[in-house]
Amino acid sequence: MTRCFDCGAERISDQCPACGLTSAAAELVFRRRLVNRTAVFLVGSLAFPYVSQIYPPLDLDLMLVFFGLLFFVALTLAIILDRRARNRQELEVLKRIYSGFIPLPWMLAALLFLNGRLDNPKNIVYHPTTVENRFYQRGLLRVSRRLLVDGWRAGQKIERLPVDADDFDRFQDGDAVLAGVEPGAIGIPWYYGIYRR
Ligand SMILES: [Zn+2]
């Protein structure tokens, strides 16, 4: 006998002694909740790239890789959970792991937002650097435009600055530029703007 899909209580008969749901009813309730939670996760997954356009972290590409991984694992978990619920297989552990994933994109988005929003424009530092290369990629939801400039951080040979279409077209390889960077209120440096030297 598996635990109740709804309340997690141990079940000895088809009807749960704790919440009174039959296994069929509990499956229905669980799968409906799974859809709702997945929707919350998906909306959060849009919030993160949105905020990252307003206050783009210098390590945006690294963060997007991490975020893509998170997205993939969470959706895989949702699919497995749904399948296991249909087959009336034990869900307790996976259910808890999945619950942990739901707020993550919201937390990441909030973190990035506060990092930029609470920063002081007086903190902008302008790093003299040179455009080495330009990078353009059309993705599923949006277009990535990066200016690759010589790095100034320790151990960072190159910085991939997430620029808008105007700045992308305005600069060429070899241009001497100033990259404006803010330190971030919680220590995540983010890209402010790029200017001609
Ligand atoms: Zn129950």
Side-chain angles (χ1 to χ4, degrees), residues 15-171:
Q15 188 163 26
C16 171
C19 68
L21 291 180
T22 63
S23 54
E27 182 203 323
L28 212 70
V29 171
F30 169 76
R31 285 178 53 209
R32 195 174 303 149
R33 193 175 300 142
L34 182 64
V35 169
N36 290 340
R37 285 184 169 186
T38 305
V40 171
F41 178 84
L42 289 177
V43 175
S45 302
L46 294 177
F48 174 75
Y50 178 73
V51 175
S52 77
Q53 278 179 319
I54 308 173
Y55 303 114
L58 274 186
D59 295 311
L60 177 61
D61 287 325
L62 201 70
M63 282 186 157
L64 285 175
V65 168
F66 170 75
F67 187 76
L69 211 66
L70 179 91
F71 188 79
F72 176 77
V73 172
L75 287 197
T76 306
L77 274 175
I79 292 167
I80 293 174
L81 273 169
D82 185 71
R83 189 173 307 159
R84 289 185 70 92
R86 281 170 199 261
N87 296 336
R88 305 281 164 80
Q89 288 168 302
E90 190 62 57
L91 298 176
E92 274 312 295
V93 177
L94 276 184
K95 206 163 95 173
R96 273 180 211 159
I97 296 175
Y98 188 62
S99 300
F101 274 84
I102 307 303
L104 286 182
W106 290 101
M107 283 159 67
L108 284 175
L111 214 67
L112 272 196
F113 180 77
L114 294 176
N115 184 62
R117 187 74 184 81
L118 301 180
D119 212 347
N120 192 329
K122 280 186 215 148
N123 294 335
I124 303 173
V125 177
Y126 296 92
H127 299 278
T129 180
T130 308
V131 177
E132 290 296 339
N133 212 334
R134 293 149 84 238
F135 173 84
Y136 176 93
Q137 190 179 42
R138 184 171 286 279
L140 205 60
L141 286 176
R142 61 201 201 116
V143 171
S144 299
R145 293 183 188 84
R146 304 281 185 267
L147 287 181
L148 277 56
V149 302
D150 289 326
W152 53 84
R153 289 187 288 173
Q156 200 81 26
K157 264 192 78 149
I158 226 110
E159 295 287 356
R160 300 165 61 87
L161 304 179
V163 295
D164 59 21
D166 285 345
D167 284 339
F168 187 79
D169 294 333
R170 206 152 63 89
F171 294 104

